[in-house]
Amino acid sequence: MQAISVQQPWAFAIARGGKAVYNQRQPASYRGPLLVYAAMRVDLKACDSPLIQEAGWDPRDPLAAIGAIIATAELTEVCSAAVQGGTCDCGPWADPGAYHWRLADVLPLPRPIVTLGRPDVWEPKPALVTEVRAMLAASAALNHSP
């Protein structure tokens, strides 16, 4: 499993608002599960973005935390058309000139897990992955109990 560090409010938009594209300067050969880490830096200009506002940005929401894992996602493919000067259908969240890492099956965590992250893409410690999986399993069990 890998983790991606994303500035707020973009991390919130992935976790809560349907942002299914992570814009990156580099391609990725990896496909599979990702932890979404809300980085310690905040893109203050983005907080007023119409896309962020449509995503329901609320700095009081627990998923607006910084320095924490806030969601999981599946990296399903990487679109390189915009980097190669072409066009793509990655939607309004896709930046021109970036690789578009397409995310699916996003699951926001019931509460953020505060931890130390790293810039860009990194490998989380096994204990952190175990904690995330246990939290999601407990949440799923609560949601399916009579």
Side-chain angles (χ1 to χ4, degrees):
M1 181 176 285
Q2 298 289 307
I4 54 174
S5 292
V6 184
Q7 289 183 9
Q8 288 289 24
W10 305 109
F12 175 92
I14 291 171
R16 191 79 86 199
K19 182 180 188 307
V21 172
Y22 171 61
N23 296 294
Q24 185 58 281
R25 294 179 303 258
Q26 302 294 324
S29 58
Y30 174 80
R31 301 294 181 274
L34 292 171
L35 299 181
V36 179
Y37 176 76
M40 296 295 290
R41 302 181 95 188
V42 177
D43 184 348
L44 293 174
K45 289 181 184 177
C47 293
D48 295 326
S49 157
L51 281 173
I52 293 297
Q53 293 302 312
E54 288 175 28
W57 171 245
D58 180 356
R60 298 166 297 188
D61 188 307
L63 296 183
I66 60 172
I69 301 296
I70 63 168
T72 64
E74 191 78 19
L75 174 57
T76 58
E77 75 176 282
V78 176
C79 175
S80 61
V83 175
Q84 298 169 350
T87 59
C88 65
D89 63 348
C90 293
W93 295 102
D95 288 347
Y99 290 92
H100 305 146
W101 293 21
R102 293 189 180 194
L103 307 176
D105 303 324
V106 175
L107 289 173
L109 297 184
R111 63 175 174 72
I113 299 175
V114 176
T115 189
L116 293 175
R118 298 196 173 180
D120 297 320
V121 181
W122 49 281
E123 188 170 337
K125 292 182 179 176
L128 178 59
V129 174
T130 299
E131 184 176 358
V132 168
R133 287 183 174 149
M135 181 184 284
L136 289 173
S139 176
L142 282 174
N143 291 334
H144 288 86
S145 64

